Amino acid sequence: MARSIRIRGLEIGEGLPKICIPLVACEEDEIFREAAEVKRAEPDMVEWRIDRMGQALDTAAVQRVLAGLREIFPDIPLLATFRTVAEGGACPCSPRDYEAVCRAVVETGLADLLDVEYSAGREAVGRLSSMAHAKGMYVIISAHDFSGTRRRACCAAGGHDSRPRGRMVKLAVMPRCASACGCAPARH
């Protein structure tokens, strides 16, 4: 049975579907202009795509922008996402760079949720999840698998947790047919 969670007054898992608007600008000033525009749209949640920023590997710049976003969105849940190129992101990076950027986000304590890629590996997922939970952040374990799904593996890696500050699993998949079971395509 799914549980709902409350983040900054937003109940996720209950009521109407929630609207999350991503911030995808490349330069700091553009990010803040985009954020002001998004705020006027009154989203339920905001996702900052760190990998889209030109200085994505500069952890001080990441922390500075995150601080500015928290000022713009003091009451709106903020999801921090650094998507690697392998998972569809915009910034080439090493596993060490990926983990350093995610750690920099966690150190600020300013994001409410941190997206951690399943493909980062069990140890990195565990380290980042533990750090985020210690700061009171939720963790979303994401997998972008367009040839199948890895839900069970994500849960085993820490995407499911019964604690109040548990982790969530996000799967991006590519449907191959209209059938819900994945069998042969439905015929019309």
Side-chain angles (χ1 to χ4, degrees), residues 17-39:
K18 309 309 184 254
I19 305 297
C20 179
I21 299 178
L23 302 173
V24 296
C26 298
E27 301 301 324
E28 282 188 53
D29 59 334
E30 294 171 356
I31 294 167
F32 295 132
R33 278 195 301 272
E34 182 182 40
E37 190 175 312
V38 164
K39 185 174 183 172

Side-chain angles (χ1 to χ4, degrees), residues 39-158:
K39 185 174 183 172
R40 286 191 293 277
E42 299 181 9
D44 296 310
M45 183 183 303
V46 174
E47 175 184 23
W48 178 34
R49 284 290 304 269
I50 300 166
D51 58 291
R52 304 285 303 190
M53 184 172 80
Q55 295 177 286
L57 299 180
D58 179 343
T59 56
V62 168
Q63 291 178 326
R64 186 173 53 248
V65 171
L66 195 54
L69 292 175
R70 181 46 69 207
E71 286 182 26
I72 294 168
F73 301 109
D75 301 319
I76 296 175
L78 183 58
L79 164 61
T81 300
F82 182 22
R83 186 72 57 235
T84 62
V85 171
E87 296 278 326
C91 180
C93 67
S94 69
R96 174 181 249 165
D97 291 335
Y98 174 79
E99 196 166 343
V101 171
C102 290
R103 273 195 325 269
V105 168
V106 172
E107 287 169 1
T108 69
L110 295 170
D112 299 295
L113 303 105
L114 175 69
D115 182 301
V116 178
E117 293 181 348
Y118 171 73
S119 63
R122 184 182 276 294
E123 289 180 8
V125 168
R127 281 190 301 271
L128 292 170
S129 294
S130 293
M131 289 176 59
H133 285 125
K135 285 284 194 172
M137 296 170 66
Y138 285 93
V139 175
I140 297 175
I141 308 295
S142 64
H144 297 78
D145 182 358
F146 299 111
S147 63
T149 60
R150 294 182 267 184
R151 182 183 63 79
R152 286 191 180 108
C154 286
C155 289

